[in-house]
Amino acid sequence: MTARRTEEVVRALIRRPAVEVAPEATLRVVAETLGEESIGAVVVRAPHAPGPGTRASGLVSERDVVQAIASGADPDRTSAESVMTSNLASAHPDEPILIAARRLLENEIRHLPVVEGDTVIGVISARDVLEALVDETGTTSTP
């Protein structure tokens, strides 16, 4: 018997390593990275993080970029570090998907870094969680 998707762990939702930018990257670079990678958020690398893996000092989402520019930020002079969310909610790769879903809802966010030790091993989105939950119900959409 196979495990139900809701009993699976967050690790099953990670599709690729976290995409990262330097703290000094401009909003234009962040926006270009988001577009090129077809993602909704990038991890801002912790400055001078020793050892392998990505250590995050924050996260910049497409919403952060839009809000900053709408508030008058210059996309060629404003850094990722200045608009990032630094007090990050995160998920552990071995916790159940439903716990991650609850964390997304409670924090009113759409992207959740997955952290093992002090390394970001991926970022999951509300869409990733929703797909897992919809797959479980066997519900299909009709055009």
Side-chain angles (χ1 to χ4, degrees):
M1 186 164 125
T2 60
R4 293 177 6 168
R5 288 296 310 251
T6 54
E7 294 172 356
E8 285 185 34
V9 294
V10 168
R11 187 181 309 273
L13 301 180
I14 299 172
R15 295 183 174 134
R16 64 196 243 175
V19 175
E20 60 183 57
V21 296
E24 64 275 4
T26 64
L27 289 185
R28 183 172 308 281
V29 168
V30 170
E32 289 169 351
T33 302
L34 293 170
E36 289 167 4
E37 299 288 339
S38 296
I39 55 174
V42 293
V43 173
V44 180
R45 242 187 341 264
H48 311 295
T54 301
R55 285 163 181 79
S57 59
L59 191 79
V60 178
S61 70
E62 53 198 356
R63 182 186 297 178
D64 296 326
V65 173
V66 168
Q67 287 175 341
I69 292 173
S71 296
D74 180 342
D76 294 312
R77 296 185 188 271
T78 306
S79 69
E81 185 175 42
S82 69
V83 301
M84 71 183 184
T85 300
S86 56
N87 186 14
L88 295 177
S90 64
H92 187 275
D94 297 322
E95 71 184 14
I97 290 171
L98 284 175
I99 299 296
R102 173 60 57 198
R103 194 161 298 123
L104 286 163
L105 288 170
E106 288 173 351
N107 289 281
E108 298 179 357
I109 56 177
R110 294 183 283 182
H111 302 92
L112 196 58
V114 181
V115 179
E116 191 165 42
D118 60 355
T119 302
V120 179
I121 62 169
V123 176
I124 61 169
S125 68
R127 180 181 303 230
D128 298 329
V129 172
L130 184 58
E131 284 177 359
L133 298 176
V134 168
D135 283 350
E136 166 136 334
T137 66
T139 304
T140 58
S141 61
T142 55

